Amino acid sequence: MTMIYVNDKMQQDYSYELTEPMGMNFASDFKPELTPQQMLEMGVFEGHYLNDCQNEFPPTWFAKARLSLDKPDEKVNYFHIKSRQPLQEWQRKGWIIGPDVRGWFQWYCRYYMGRRLPEVDAWQIKRWKAFKRHKAQVEQNCLIGDLVCRPRQRQALLQWAYNPIF
């Protein structure tokens, strides 16, 4: 088993154990369409999400990632639109649970790496599954290949590990 130790801007003295091989043995009802690396390479969260905690994750995830180190930049997003709410809003809505102080994507990165926390995992997977309704809306309202159709919804899908290009 591998232990990961976290000491970054938002979380200090946290550690977790990787109990599964990276990218494998997901819950049977959790089938993300994109890996964290693919998401980062396409452009998510205005390039300003995991900047201060890259050493927690594989360097390959960041080799071609579209990042904005100074401040969030909507041009870094795949669909070049504003796509984030302040962390305080996520906290107010109760979207931050357990040890993943940055929210769903941090949970997904840690889950993908092999960490398992059954209660937290079940809650986050339930949220992920509920988000699929947005993919159905894009599919029903947009022509295949029309990436200009519903760009905000497509960016959101990307940020939830759904492939927005279909």
Side-chain angles (χ1 to χ4, degrees):
M1 303 292 169
T2 301
M3 289 297 295
I4 302 293
Y5 299 92
V6 179
N7 282 295
D8 60 43
K9 180 180 172 185
M10 293 181 63
Q11 195 166 37
Q12 295 80 42
D13 300 319
Y14 173 66
S15 62
Y16 59 92
E17 185 176 26
L18 302 179
T19 59
E20 298 293 342
M22 186 180 303
M24 300 178 69
N25 300 335
F26 290 2
S28 62
D29 58 344
F30 183 57
K31 299 182 184 335
E33 298 172 359
L34 300 167
T35 68
Q37 180 175 341
Q38 289 171 317
M39 294 167 68
L40 290 165
E41 288 176 359
M42 289 179 77
V44 289
F45 306 105
E46 298 172 21
H48 201 71
Y49 190 85
L50 299 176
N51 291 346
D52 70 306
C53 60
Q54 290 182 22
N55 62 349
E56 180 180 345
F57 305 106
T60 55
W61 288 10
F62 299 95
K64 295 181 183 176
R66 299 180 66 180
L67 302 176
S68 176
L69 300 178
D70 294 331
K71 61 183 173 88
D73 182 356
E74 62 195 44
K75 293 180 216 95
V76 174
N77 279 344
Y78 189 85
F79 292 95
H80 307 289
I81 58 162
K82 184 172 177 14
S83 66
R84 52 188 276 156
Q85 295 178 333
L87 181 61
Q88 296 84 353
E89 185 66 13
W90 298 358
Q91 293 165 333
R92 186 185 71 75
K93 291 183 176 182
W95 295 341
I96 306 292
I97 66 158
D100 304 317
V101 297
R102 297 170 193 258
W104 186 88
F105 186 58
Q106 184 179 48
W107 167 82
Y108 177 45
C109 290
R110 290 171 171 175
Y111 187 88
Y112 189 90
M113 294 253 308
R115 184 195 72 181
R116 298 294 183 268
L117 301 173
E119 288 181 21
V120 174
D121 298 347
W123 189 78
Q124 293 289 19
I125 290 168
K126 181 179 177 183
R127 292 180 67 221
W128 173 83
K129 287 170 33 180
F131 207 84
K132 190 169 187 173
R133 72 186 184 280
H134 293 283
K135 186 166 185 172
Q137 292 170 356
V138 172
E139 289 173 337
Q140 290 171 1
N141 292 289
C142 299
L143 297 173
I144 294 174
D146 181 5
L147 299 183
V148 177
C149 181
R150 296 188 176 227
R152 190 166 309 283
Q153 231 171 352
R154 288 178 185 269
Q155 184 68 42
L157 287 168
L158 173 57
Q159 293 177 179
W160 281 83
Y162 288 102
N163 188 348
I165 306 167
F166 40 85

